[in-house]
Structures are given as structure tokens and as C-alpha cells.
Amino acid sequence: MVHNANELAEADAHAAHTARIDPTQMTLETEAYGATTQGGKLELMKVTLPPLGATQVQIDMTHCGLCHTDIHMVNNDWGIADYPLVPGHEGVGLVTHVGPSVRGLKPGDRVGVGWIRDCCGACDACACGRDNLCASGYKGTYLGKSACGIWGKEGNEAYGCFSKVMRIEEKFAFPVPENMDPLVACPIMCAGGTVFEPIVDYVSPGKIVGIGALGGLGTLALKLCKLYGAKVVVFSSSAHKEQPALKAGADVFVCTGDAERMAAAPKCDVFLETAPVNRPVAPLMDLLKFDGVYVRMGIPPAGDQSFTWEWIPMIFTAKKIVGSIVTGSARMGKLLTLASDHLDFIQDVGDLQAEYVPFDQVNEAMAKLSAQKNSGFRMVLKW
């Protein structure tokens, strides 16, 4: 075939233009597991990510922990979900592209992604790495416009870690230590960070800490409290969890359905409420010493948010009720280092070992978690 000079010149110009196109400046279509309706089963779908920002990184996701929050969001238990909804906020993957202003990460780095994808970066909380308390409201990893308000500053259409590819701010893509398996790294990104926040605030050597349930949050709370030198009392309605709790390192196990054992339970300096259900506060406050702290992390459904306690016992015992939401970038970095330095201890959870589940079995995994039939403390989905 013979080409004239004009055709060749046009071809060269097109080739040069194509070579200059930066794929990160374009939207990106990728696959993800998401729900199209409230309570619907997750299905493999195509989603489109916005162009990569100057301070963002692109990540090929390899693993993601399954948190009960993902089930709450799919079911719209808090009334803030938008569909299609791609959940997932305990992700681990490899950086493939970086924006022009990224300085701390490079392609090939293994990183973790949690509940937050962005923050204002200007308030006092953000300035010290406590971006979970961003005064303007952080941006949730997969929260849409319906979640604006107390849940965060604004919605987004960037989707969660059940996506094969993610684009997220460098600040919230945390380097994962080389010695850390995704079975540990994924749960740390949400469950670990969530319990680490109040542990740093309220737990110190010699304190007696009660843990309200032995699930994903409770198991990591147990291990981290022991690292902080505390005595740990696990409270659970499931009597069969006694031996797993003790094997994982609990000092005392109390079945909440056993009135005698509840009456004999040690008084706690701190009670970490990790269960995502509401329950009467007064009996839990009775488990605290004077000047004790009850910390609520598990979020009950939207229709069951209120609680009641009386002023006189609060005043005369100086007991406190506080809330705590995930953790910020500064403490997440410290947590990953702490877990890496004590990895054998963190992984030693006896019969509660986390387990891998193929991503195409995500619906079965969610059903198992909803029914509390998972054998380990976390299921980690794997592409």
C-alpha cells in the first residue's frame, strides 16, 4: 500500500498525540462487586472511576476484609446508602500509577485503604493526623451524597475496595509492612483502627478493659489491649466463645446470659462496646469502676439509636459515656508499625484465625457473617 506525504504526516501527528495522552487523566472503567438495590445480592458490574487527581494514587486491589459495616450499608440500615453501592473499606493492593504531586508512594508499593478517602486537610484535627475528626467532615471511601452531614463532608462516586481498581488520596493509602499478610493487614484497616483509637485514648498498663463482643473488632481489641498491658475481660452472649477467647489471650470470659457470672465479673476501667446493636446502658455502666469509661464504637441501625441513663449515678460516680469513630492517618501509621513489630502476637488468635474467601463467593460470605456463622474473626476476600 502506498501512502502520500499528507497521510504519513497525519499518522505521525496522531501517534505523537496518542503518546502524550496520560491514561490517569481519563476516567477508568473497571470491575467491581456491588449492589444495585437495597438489600440486593452483590453482582460483578462495570464502574467508572473519575480521573486520577494530582495527589492521588491508583491501586490494583488484591484483597479486602469483609466488615459488618458493609452489610449495614448494602441493607441501608443507617439510611445513608446510594445505589449502585460498591462496599469495602479494608482493602490491600499494589500502586500502579501516581499523580504528579505524590511524593511518598511509587508504583509497586503495597498499600492499605480504610474507611476514609479524603479530608479538608486544613482544620486542627487534620493538621495532627486525626482526620477522622475533620471539622469539615471527612470523605468516606464509598459514601455517597445521602451520607452528607454527620457522616462526612460530601459524597463521591469513586466506590469502595470491592472494586478491582481504586483511585484515592495518597494520604489515605497506607504502606503495608513487608512482613504483614493480607489476613492481618486487611482487618487492621478498619477493625484494628476502630479499636486502636479508644485504646490509645483510654487504655494503659494495669487497666481492666471489658470488650462487648468477640467478633472482628473485639478480637483485635483483645490483642491490642494486651499489648498495652491491660487485663482483658471478654463479655459475650455466646457461651461457646469462652475457649476461643481464652486461647486468644483473654484473662476472663463472662457469658452475658449467665446472671451469676455477670454479678461476679471484674469491675472495668474501660468498656469497649464493639457490637453494632443497641442494648440497655445501665447494666453496662454497672460493670465500670468509678471514673470508668464506656466507649461506643459499634453503630446500631438508624431506627434504634437512643439510650437512657440517669444524671445522679453519672455525676456521683464520674462515669463517662463516649463515642469513637475509626482512626486517623497518624494513628493508623502507628498501628501498622506496632502490629508489624509484634506480628506473631497479633496473629496468635487461637481458633479465631482469619480466612481467605474468593471474591466470587462474596454473597455466601455476607450471609455467613450476618448469621454469625463465620469460624474466624474475619473473612478476607481475594481477587
Side-chain angles (χ1 to χ4, degrees), residues 76-128:
N76 201 20
D77 289 336
W78 299 318
I80 60 167
D82 293 301
Y83 303 90
L85 184 143
V86 174
H89 57 285
E90 288 187 347
V92 167
L94 297 174
V95 174
T96 59
H97 298 81
V98 300
S101 299
V102 170
R103 296 291 180 266
L105 294 172
K106 63 184 184 305
D109 286 345
R110 192 166 63 119
V111 295
V113 175
W115 179 249
I116 302 174
R117 68 162 50 248
D118 200 3
C119 63
C120 81
C123 68
D124 290 344
C126 288
C128 65

Side-chain angles (χ1 to χ4, degrees), residues 203-209 225-232 251:
V203 177
S204 57
K207 296 283 188 180
I208 299 177
V209 180
C225 283
K226 296 298 291 184
L227 275 181
Y228 267 59
K231 178 179 179 179
V232 176
D251 296 283

Side-chain angles (χ1 to χ4, degrees), residues 241-311:
K241 289 191 175 181
E242 178 166 7
Q243 288 308 309
L246 297 175
K247 287 182 180 179
D251 296 283
V252 179
F253 178 88
V254 178
C255 180
T256 56
D258 187 325
E260 290 186 6
R261 295 185 72 173
M262 284 290 285
K267 294 290 185 181
C268 301
D269 297 286
V270 181
F271 190 97
L272 301 178
E273 182 60 275
T274 58
V277 295
N278 206 353
R279 46 187 172 182
V281 169
L284 300 173
M285 300 304 287
D286 288 343
L287 296 172
L288 291 174
K289 298 178 182 179
F290 279 29
D291 200 30
V293 183
Y294 171 85
V295 186
R296 162 62 73 167
M297 290 160 285
I299 307 175
D304 191 16
Q305 288 286 307
S306 62
F307 66 89
T308 302
W309 200 41
E310 297 180 355
W311 283 113

Side-chain angles (χ1 to χ4, degrees), residues 352-376:
L352 300 172
Q353 296 293 334
E355 59 180 317
Y356 284 124
V357 177
F359 243 112
D360 60 8
Q361 296 178 22
V362 61
N363 288 303
E364 292 85 345
M366 292 178 73
K368 186 182 292 186
L369 180 58
S370 294
Q372 299 184 24
K373 292 184 177 179
N374 49 305
S375 57

